[in-house]
Amino acid sequence: MRNTTVLISGASIAGPALAYWLSRYGFDVTVVEKSPALRAGGQAVDFTGHTHMAVLERMGILEDLERRQTGKTDMVIVDEGGNEKALISGDFTGGDLEILRGDLADVIYQRTARNCRYLFGDTITALTETTDGVHVEFAHAPAQRFDLVFGADGIHSRVRKLAFGPEQKFVKHQGHYYCLAGASKWESQPDAPRERAVSYALNTPGHLASLGNSKAAQMYMFASPQLDYDRDDFDAQRRIVADQFAGIGWEVPRMLADLPHLDGFYLDSLSKVTMKNFVQGRVALVGDAGYGNTLAGFGSGLAIVGAYVLAGELAAADGDYTVAFPRYQEMMKRTGKMAGASSPGAFLAPKTALGLRFRNWFLGSRFFAMMVKSAEKSKNDIDLKNYPEIVAAR
């Protein structure tokens, strides 16, 4: 088999999933991750439908994930007086299986750590493609040549920037920002029964503030043009959130008072990755790096399906990326496009009072059920090949 030495950037979901399949097919896999260790906990992610479940089952991790899944969380929408206005069911937000991102990453990591090399606390600084591979430079590790390089490093992908161009060419701001702070119930109480929970969220035009949901102790979302801020200055980012929610009632003043004392603070835009091609030369993108849409509910499923397809096509083509990459591109393009059609900001934090009233009505209507079915169909609109049989038969 050709092109067997591969580098994967990112050790969240897409990266370890791709490492699992590639190592199983006989590739020599290295994974580089900028964090000093595997990140524990984190927000809840979900999987829905037969396609997602089939991939998890073929990986042999479905039972482990089911044992560690959350109990799902219903979100009650209230006004500033605490009056209930609508309900977003945990069955909608949590899919068929919901699990903390860190738990999912740990399960996959444990199945790859023996057969793959993990470089934690490091990052790629340069990529140079040659006739026989890709010369890769790192911030700390010695430079090395790999046959293929994969970007599984999220919506702000370093690999995409180095191999395809600057972020602004491919990442489109969707008009909202979101902030997560503090551990979710499932993370802060790991030994508690994973029973169904209820969280509460205030909606005012262009704003959402939530307590105790599945993603974090506090979650904020607000409509805004694109902001210019230092991604490493968390005090400045907290001030942005405080300014956005100043003067809003309900529990928000207490939430903002607690915000400086909560760990795990994260602020980012709701953004969508739009790329004509997410393969180029010896480099390919998988998951959010190539077809991400923040909080749209497709990310984790697309990551594990994309990893399965990319590795399977490479194995079926005996490592010939000139054959495998176009097949992967064709297969994931349609599914990624459907995922990019949703707009979570407009749904969770409508910008006008009229938009809020309509959204609340919509949540209780039969049209919402139709939308859920349509979303489930788009998540599973891919005909999975049974790659292990293809590889075994070659």
Side-chain angles (χ1 to χ4, degrees):
M1 187 166 60
R2 291 168 285 179
N3 303 309
T4 57
T5 62
V6 303
L7 174 67
I8 301 169
S9 176
S12 180
I13 296 175
L18 183 59
Y20 170 84
W21 288 112
L22 288 175
S23 63
R24 174 173 171 169
Y25 294 144
F27 290 84
D28 180 4
V29 181
T30 299
V31 182
V32 60
E33 165 58 45
K34 65 179 180 181
S35 296
L38 201 66
R39 287 174 287 184
Q43 68 189 60
V45 298
D46 67 276
F47 300 98
T48 302
H50 62 86
T51 300
H52 294 178
M53 296 303 164
V55 175
L56 297 176
E57 189 168 15
R58 291 177 191 183
M59 292 179 74
I61 63 174
L62 182 56
E63 289 187 4
D64 281 352
L65 299 188
E66 289 175 338
R67 282 193 292 268
R68 300 173 71 167
Q69 68 181 312
T70 72
K72 300 184 183 177
T73 303
D74 298 323
M75 180 183 286
V76 178
I77 305 295
V78 301
D79 61 18
E80 290 187 272
N83 303 302
E84 297 185 9
K85 295 296 182 180
L87 173 72
I88 301 178
S89 170
D91 293 323
F92 169 62
T93 58
D96 293 332
L97 188 154
E98 183 183 74
I99 186 170
L100 294 181
R101 179 182 292 272
D103 288 350
L104 171 62
D106 179 63
V107 168
I108 306 176
Y109 171 76
Q110 295 302 331
R111 284 163 171 74
T112 57
R114 284 187 179 182
N115 300 321
C116 305
R117 287 184 297 278
Y118 278 83
L119 301 176
F120 288 104
D122 209 342
T123 188
I124 299 171
T125 59
L127 295 173
T128 305
E129 185 166 341
T130 64
T131 55
D132 64 346
V134 183
H135 179 78
V136 181
E137 297 178 30
F138 300 93
H140 304 295
Q144 190 175 342
R145 189 200 70 83
F146 295 90
D147 293 323
L148 303 171
V149 173
F150 304 107
D153 43 357
I155 206 159
H156 301 295
S157 171
R158 179 73 171 167
V159 170
R160 187 185 60 229
K161 178 180 178 180
L162 293 172
F164 294 81
E167 181 170 303
Q168 56 266 32
K169 287 180 61 177
F170 309 109
V171 180
K172 181 181 178 182
H173 176 57
Q174 295 288 78
H176 285 76
Y177 281 80
Y178 75 106
C179 169
L180 304 174
S184 70
K185 173 185 176 181
W186 316 114
E187 183 181 356
S188 60
Q189 304 175 37
D191 298 324
R194 297 298 174 97
E195 299 172 348
R196 198 176 190 94
V198 176
S199 69
Y200 291 85
L202 170 71
N203 256 160
T204 61
H207 294 80
L208 176 142
S210 174
L211 274 171
N213 66 41
S214 62
K215 298 190 179 299
Q218 294 185 10
M219 176 179 172
Y220 302 87
M221 186 176 293
F222 58 91
S224 170
Q226 193 157 6
L227 301 174
D228 183 16
Y229 61 90
D230 185 345
R231 293 181 59 83
D232 296 319
D233 188 343
F234 298 113
D235 288 336
Q237 293 174 39
R238 288 185 179 92
R239 288 194 293 271
I240 290 174
V241 175
D243 290 344
Q244 285 287 336
F245 286 83
I248 294 179
W250 187 58
E251 296 288 330
V252 172
R254 180 175 67 82
M255 292 173 62
L256 294 176
D258 291 342
L259 185 60
H261 310 293
L262 296 177
D263 295 329
F265 180 90
Y266 183 79
L267 174 70
D268 203 353
S269 65
L270 295 186
S271 298
K272 179 171 66 175
V273 178
T274 303
M275 302 188 72
K276 184 177 180 180
N277 297 298
F278 37 82
V279 299
Q280 181 169 282
R282 293 175 175 265
V283 179
L285 305 176
V286 60
D288 283 352
Y291 29 85
N293 187 8
T294 315
L295 296 186
F298 289 81
S300 302
L302 280 176
I304 59 111
V305 171
Y308 175 82
V309 172
L310 177 54
E313 290 297 341
L314 275 167
D318 288 323
D320 187 346
Y321 69 93
T322 64
V323 174
F325 280 7
R327 290 176 179 171
Y328 162 69
Q329 166 91 16
E330 180 182 1
M331 223 170 210
M332 295 305 298
K333 193 73 173 180
R334 181 178 60 174
T335 305
K337 184 177 181 180
M338 290 179 178
S342 58
S343 179
F347 179 76
L348 291 172
K351 295 181 180 180
T352 66
L354 179 61
L356 273 176
R357 289 196 296 271
F358 176 79
R359 193 281 314 277
N360 291 343
W361 168 85
F362 181 69
L363 284 169
S365 72
R366 63 184 178 88
F367 300 105
F368 179 65
M370 294 169 60
M371 184 194 78
V372 172
K373 289 182 179 180
S374 176
E376 290 178 353
K377 180 180 178 181
S378 61
K379 288 182 181 182
N380 292 277
D381 190 18
I382 184 170
D383 184 19
L384 286 180
K385 296 180 182 178
N386 197 335
Y387 293 110
E389 290 185 3
I390 294 174
V391 176
R394 73 167 182 245

